[in-house]
Amino acid sequence: MADFELLQALQIAAKTKIVQLVMDGLGGVPRNSDGKTELEAAHTPNLNALAARSQLGLAVPVRPGVTPGSGPAHLALFGYDPLQYDIGRGVLEALGIGFELQPEDVAARGNFCTVDEGGLITDRRAGRIPTELNQKLVALLRYVKLPGIQTFVETVKEYRFVLVLRPTEDQALYANVLDTDPQQLGVPPLPARAQDEASEPTAALVNEWIASARQILKDHPPANSLNLRGLAKDPGLPKFREVYGLKSAAIATYPMYRGVARLVGMDVLSLDGEALEDEVETLRTHWDQYDYFFFHVKKTDSAGEDGDFERKAGVIEHTDEVVIPAILDLGPDVLIITGDHSTPSALKSHSWHPVPTLLWSHYCRPDGVAEFGERACGRGSLGIFPATDELPLALGHALRLTKYGA
Amino acid sequence: MADFELLQALQIAAKTKIVQLVMDGLGGVPRNSDGKTELEAAHTPNLNALAARSQLGLAVPVRPGVTPGSGPAHLALFGYDPLQYDIGRGVLEALGIGFELQPEDVAARGNFCTVDEGGLITDRRAGRIPTELNQKLVALLRYVKLPGIQTFVETVKEYRFVLVLRPTEDQALYANVLDTDPQQLGVPPLPARAQDEASEPTAALVNEWIASARQILKDHPPANSLNLRGLAKDPGLPKFREVYGLKSAAIATYPMYRGVARLVGMDVLSLDGEALEDEVETLRTHWDQYDYFFFHVKKTDSAGEDGDFERKAGVIEHTDEVVIPAILDLGPDVLIITGDHSTPSALKSHSWHPVPTLLWSHYCRPDGVAEFGERACGRGSLGIFPATDELPLALGHALRLTKYGA
């Protein structure tokens, strides 16, 4: 029996509430001066007091040693093994700019590129053109029309854009189509090639669109051509309501996280602003309406990506001050505090390090360690565990699963 | 390679002895007064001294967050993933009353119920009739005969009974038959419906039995009808001797545990009484005859189910005093002390919490922590691990597995 089938079979009705607080890129590595990570260096009296009453551990987002992107990392936190449930890059790119993808849409990531007179690629990123130029070119590409298909072209940034094909008639598009980017210089772009019969109409439409688009671009060097990658559709993931029996809501400011939450069936709540205080206000307002809340804090990751140790610690301190007491005041039954992955400021990027995680419930067995940090979590009783265990553990602690077998 | 294939391939002859001591429902959660669990609060000098020479950890019976029934939980301790090896409810119910199921038997759990004049169910549990009335009705139901089939009807308790069909001729019965219980009121019971062609004769026999049984019951309100659930056969599990090369014996007082042990091929030893002292005496008597002993202590669980913290701690103390020194005196090569699941008295039920576990052998790497409790185990070097690892670990520590590969 697959794990989702098991959880679905064991679901029972309950009024308990679960909060999963995700500080993006939470984990770090020690700085030289005092051997502390960002989380360990931050002054976090509320997290530390909560840790003393909680169980600690380290969550592995995908597999040991593997650095996850934001999409797979969040899928794992939501209980979906990212190696089993694959969100195509085109879909992730569309979600990342807040595009409201529909189930029948096919999305692709587009890259402007430079080709020589012979049509051979000389720069796969078109000299990383400024975003403003990208926007002008995208406006031109919107003139390309396809029969029976609505097309959307949207700027991401620099040389990157998104193309979405939406059927307007009663037809289905399939996205098993290879990238046109040959991933090397001195060769021409490849045609879009279907990998199964059902995807052939899509490949034909894409090739038609590309031909027209390249006609328009040919007078706009360095962005005088383009490639499409990662053609994909909404993967049709099992939904939270169905597999966990949870009425679930997402509180997140960035499009990517709102988009992934929508893919697993969460209601994505609106916010009055982008501050943590606004997110807290939204949590309070909707507290009675949902069983589960995904609460996302973005700026820990941004600071880590910028290599700014102090700023990352500052975001953690702000979360400690503003978010933790507010959640506890609402009286959740289960509170998990974690990250989607690590973003050590020493690396200025996502990393493979497992993520400090805290689980509190009325029925947890506190480790009795009054500190929330990488080292404390490394000695915690949750051990080092797959991030996909967090939701099942939350359901157990929320008394939302009945006994398996007699 | 499935794990059993691997272990089977690596088996080597040895004279070493393994004891797996299972304190049923051992794990707990902290009480408010002093933050201790039942195991932590109990005075256990022998367990603590042994812990100092042992490795500790926390065993996950089924999956994180999932609360197991006794059957699946024991299968896991015996090394069988309970999601892969499913014992049907009818079989578990028969084992639970000590019915000696044979491989060709089909067993079902029966519920007396109440129906109105129109035959619609008004009470799925017949007002939870007393067990004495159940026994009288069961005596009547034994008059129902089926062609070529021996039938057994046995009281469980209150509204619950067991029906077993045993072929007397050279025929095979299959049990892929749906429950007759519609799980709701105001509708009639369902017929028994076969889910495959092979099970159609069974469904026909069951429907014939039900028709006669209902004729008998119709004048006995509130138990004027019945339903059958969980039709099942002995799942034919791989046996201990075969997969582990162990001559194995079970010492347990309750029918359920004796029954599950029999399903995996253990000899179930007879006892002179139900006290721990009787179990110890049986262990001593049979020490020379077996490689492996499953030693079951039931009353930790019963006390937990009753919500009686002190009584549960008392059973643990009694085990510490009577069982631990006796086992050590016999000189086992490997001793594992664990539970099948947690039964915190705070929850008055089985729970999902991982189970404190201790492994001692001549070749273990002691953690050097002189305490056997949930928190000590949460910091132990076995980590948090699937309960199905216990048998393979025991075989390794017993020098009963040869090297894999050159």
Side-chain angles (χ1 to χ4, degrees):
Chain A
M1 195 186 295
D3 285 2
F4 279 154
E5 282 176 59
L6 175 67
L7 296 173
Q8 199 165 2
L10 299 180
Q11 269 179 40
I12 46 173
K15 295 203 178 293
T16 50
K17 287 189 192 290
I18 299 166
V19 177
Q20 193 176 26
L21 169 60
V22 178
M23 288 190 256
D24 206 295
L26 177 63
V29 297
R31 63 179 167 191
N32 289 331
S33 61
D34 60 359
K36 290 187 172 178
T37 67
E38 298 88 333
L39 178 59
E40 289 169 346
H43 177 64
T44 53
N46 294 308
L47 281 166
N48 292 351
L50 180 62
R53 302 187 285 128
S54 302
Q55 298 187 239
L56 304 179
L58 290 170
V60 178
V62 177
R63 292 292 185 272
V66 173
T67 298
S70 298
H74 273 80
L75 277 190
L77 288 179
F78 299 154
Y80 302 71
D81 182 344
L83 296 191
Q84 182 182 354
Y85 296 98
D86 185 29
I87 308 181
R89 178 162 288 267
V91 169
L92 278 177
E93 201 83 355
L95 297 178
I97 57 165
F99 188 90
E100 297 221 359
L101 212 61
Q102 297 185 4
E104 291 308 319
D105 292 352
V106 167
R109 167 170 164 175
N111 288 353
F112 291 110
C113 68
T114 313
V115 294
D116 63 20
E117 331 63 79
L120 308 182
I121 298 173
T122 57
D123 185 336
R124 291 177 51 240
R125 296 182 184 83
R128 295 186 186 269
I129 53 167
T131 303
E132 296 68 35
L133 176 53
N134 178 317
Q135 287 164 334
K136 284 179 196 155
L137 297 172
V138 156
L140 296 176
L141 295 183
R142 289 188 181 134
Y143 288 106
V144 179
K145 301 296 172 198
L146 292 173
I149 296 289
Q150 194 175 2
T151 54
F152 302 85
V153 196
E154 304 291 343
T155 293
V156 178
K157 65 176 183 177
E158 297 177 346
Y159 61 96
R160 289 158 53 192
F161 67 91
V162 167
L163 170 69
V164 175
L165 309 188
R166 176 172 299 166
T168 55
E169 291 156 21
D170 190 17
Q171 64 174 315
L173 295 181
Y174 297 92
N176 192 2
V177 176
L178 292 183
D179 297 352
T180 71
D181 186 343
Q183 303 260 9
Q184 52 178 308
L185 301 182
V187 296
L190 300 166
R193 281 165 303 166
Q195 291 302 96
D196 57 34
E197 209 178 313
S199 302
E200 278 172 11
T202 307
L205 286 164
V206 163
N207 284 323
E208 189 179 336
W209 185 88
I210 288 175
S212 305
R214 287 197 182 125
Q215 268 309 111
I216 291 172
L217 292 177
K218 72 178 190 331
D219 304 324
H220 296 273
N224 64 355
S225 188
L226 56 78
N227 276 303
L228 295 180
R229 301 175 62 179
L231 268 78
K233 292 177 75 170
D234 178 335
L237 301 172
K239 302 296 186 275
F240 254 50
R241 187 77 180 240
E242 170 191 317
V243 291
Y244 302 138
L246 293 173
K247 188 152 190 277
S248 58
I251 300 175
T253 56
Y254 270 49
M256 163 73 91
Y257 313 101
R258 298 168 68 88
V260 176
R262 200 183 301 113
L263 289 185
V264 298
M266 293 187 203
D267 286 355
V268 178
L269 303 182
S270 58
L271 293 161
D272 283 340
E274 297 211 338
L276 290 180
E277 289 80 355
D278 298 307
E279 296 191 60
V280 165
E281 190 47 38
T282 293
L283 177 67
R284 279 207 195 93
T285 310
H286 294 82
W287 184 250
D288 292 336
Q289 294 160 250
Y290 294 94
D291 307 313
Y292 164 96
F293 293 90
F294 157 51
F295 191 114
H296 186 255
V297 173
K298 173 61 188 172
K299 291 185 175 167
T300 27
D301 179 61
S302 327
E305 294 262 10
D306 291 346
D308 192 333
F309 188 104
E310 294 298 338
R311 200 173 96 226
K312 185 173 167 191
V315 178
I316 295 168
E317 291 181 353
H318 190 198
T319 307
D320 182 80
E321 194 186 331
V322 169
V323 181
I324 306 301
I327 294 176
L328 293 176
D329 274 353
L330 289 165
D333 295 279
V334 181
L335 172 57
I336 291 177
I337 301 176
T338 187
D340 54 341
H341 52 74
S342 294
T343 306
S345 38
L347 283 165
K348 297 187 181 183
S349 69
H350 292 197
S351 80
W352 63 93
H353 300 84
V355 184
T357 301
L358 171 161
L359 184 154
W360 173 87
S361 85
H362 298 293
Y363 303 107
C364 74
R365 293 169 172 165
D367 295 337
V369 177
E371 192 195 337
F372 185 47
E374 281 78 354
R375 252 156 302 192
C377 289
R379 292 187 297 266
S381 62
L382 293 176
I384 181 158
F385 65 96
T388 47
D389 284 353
E390 290 186 21
L391 252 294
L393 279 172
L395 293 171
H397 281 268
L399 308 182
R400 285 180 165 271
L401 298 176
T402 189
K403 194 160 66 175
Y404 173 70
Chain B
M1 195 187 293
D3 285 3
F4 282 154
E5 283 176 61
L6 175 66
L7 296 172
Q8 199 164 2
L10 300 180
Q11 269 179 41
I12 46 175
K15 297 205 177 293
T16 50
K17 289 191 190 291
I18 299 166
V19 177
Q20 192 175 26
L21 169 60
V22 178
M23 287 190 257
D24 206 295
L26 177 63
V29 298
R31 63 179 167 191
N32 289 330
S33 60
D34 61 0
K36 290 187 172 176
T37 66
E38 297 89 334
L39 179 58
E40 289 169 345
H43 177 66
T44 54
N46 294 309
L47 282 166
N48 292 350
L50 179 62
R53 301 187 286 129
S54 302
Q55 297 187 240
L56 304 179
L58 292 170
V60 178
V62 177
R63 292 291 185 272
V66 173
T67 298
S70 298
H74 274 81
L75 277 190
L77 287 179
F78 300 154
Y80 302 71
D81 181 345
L83 296 190
Q84 183 181 352
Y85 297 97
D86 186 28
I87 310 180
R89 181 165 286 266
V91 169
L92 279 176
E93 201 83 355
L95 297 179
I97 57 164
F99 186 90
E100 298 221 358
L101 213 61
Q102 296 185 4
E104 291 308 319
D105 292 352
V106 167
R109 167 170 165 176
N111 289 352
F112 291 109
C113 67
T114 312
V115 295
D116 63 19
E117 326 69 72
L120 309 181
I121 299 173
T122 58
D123 186 337
R124 291 177 52 237
R125 296 182 183 84
R128 294 185 187 271
I129 53 167
T131 302
E132 295 69 35
L133 176 54
N134 178 317
Q135 287 163 336
K136 283 178 197 154
L137 297 172
V138 157
L140 296 176
L141 295 182
R142 290 189 180 135
Y143 288 106
V144 179
K145 301 296 173 200
L146 292 173
I149 296 290
Q150 194 176 1
T151 53
F152 302 85
V153 195
E154 304 291 343
T155 293
V156 179
K157 66 175 183 178
E158 297 176 347
Y159 61 96
R160 289 158 55 190
F161 66 91
V162 167
L163 170 69
V164 176
L165 309 187
R166 177 172 299 167
T168 55
E169 291 156 22
D170 189 19
Q171 64 175 313
L173 294 182
Y174 298 92
N176 192 2
V177 176
L178 292 182
D179 297 352
T180 71
D181 187 342
Q183 304 260 10
Q184 52 178 310
L185 302 182
V187 296
L190 300 165
R193 282 164 302 166
Q195 291 302 96
D196 56 35
E197 209 179 312
S199 302
E200 279 172 11
T202 308
L205 287 163
V206 164
N207 284 322
E208 189 179 337
W209 185 88
I210 289 175
S212 305
R214 287 198 183 126
Q215 269 308 113
I216 292 172
L217 293 177
K218 72 176 188 329
D219 303 323
H220 296 272
N224 64 354
S225 188
L226 56 77
N227 276 302
L228 296 180
R229 300 174 62 178
L231 268 79
K233 292 177 74 171
D234 177 336
L237 301 172
K239 301 297 184 275
F240 254 50
R241 187 78 181 239
E242 171 191 317
V243 292
Y244 302 138
L246 293 173
K247 188 153 190 279
S248 57
I251 301 174
T253 57
Y254 270 48
M256 163 73 91
Y257 313 100
R258 297 168 68 88
V260 176
R262 199 182 303 114
L263 289 186
V264 298
M266 293 187 203
D267 286 354
V268 177
L269 304 183
S270 58
L271 293 161
D272 283 339
E274 297 211 337
L276 291 179
E277 289 79 356
D278 298 307
E279 295 191 59
V280 165
E281 191 48 38
T282 293
L283 177 68
R284 278 205 195 94
T285 311
H286 294 82
W287 185 251
D288 292 335
Q289 296 161 249
Y290 293 96
D291 307 313
Y292 163 97
F293 294 91
F294 157 51
F295 190 112
H296 186 255
V297 174
K298 172 61 188 171
K299 290 185 176 170
T300 28
D301 179 60
S302 327
E305 293 262 9
D306 290 346
D308 192 334
F309 188 104
E310 295 299 337
R311 201 173 95 226
K312 184 173 168 190
V315 178
I316 295 168
E317 291 180 354
H318 190 197
T319 308
D320 183 78
E321 194 186 330
V322 170
V323 182
I324 307 301
I327 294 177
L328 293 175
D329 274 354
L330 289 165
D333 295 279
V334 180
L335 172 56
I336 291 177
I337 301 175
T338 188
D340 56 339
H341 52 72
S342 294
T343 305
S345 38
L347 283 164
K348 297 186 180 182
S349 68
H350 292 197
S351 80
W352 65 93
H353 298 86
V355 184
T357 301
L358 171 162
L359 183 153
W360 173 86
S361 85
H362 298 294
Y363 305 107
C364 74
R365 296 167 171 166
D367 295 337
V369 176
E371 192 196 336
F372 186 45
E374 281 79 354
R375 250 154 304 192
C377 289
R379 292 186 297 266
S381 63
L382 293 176
I384 181 160
F385 66 96
T388 48
D389 285 352
E390 288 186 22
L391 252 295
L393 279 170
L395 294 169
H397 280 268
L399 308 182
R400 284 179 165 272
L401 298 176
T402 187
K403 191 161 62 177
Y404 174 71

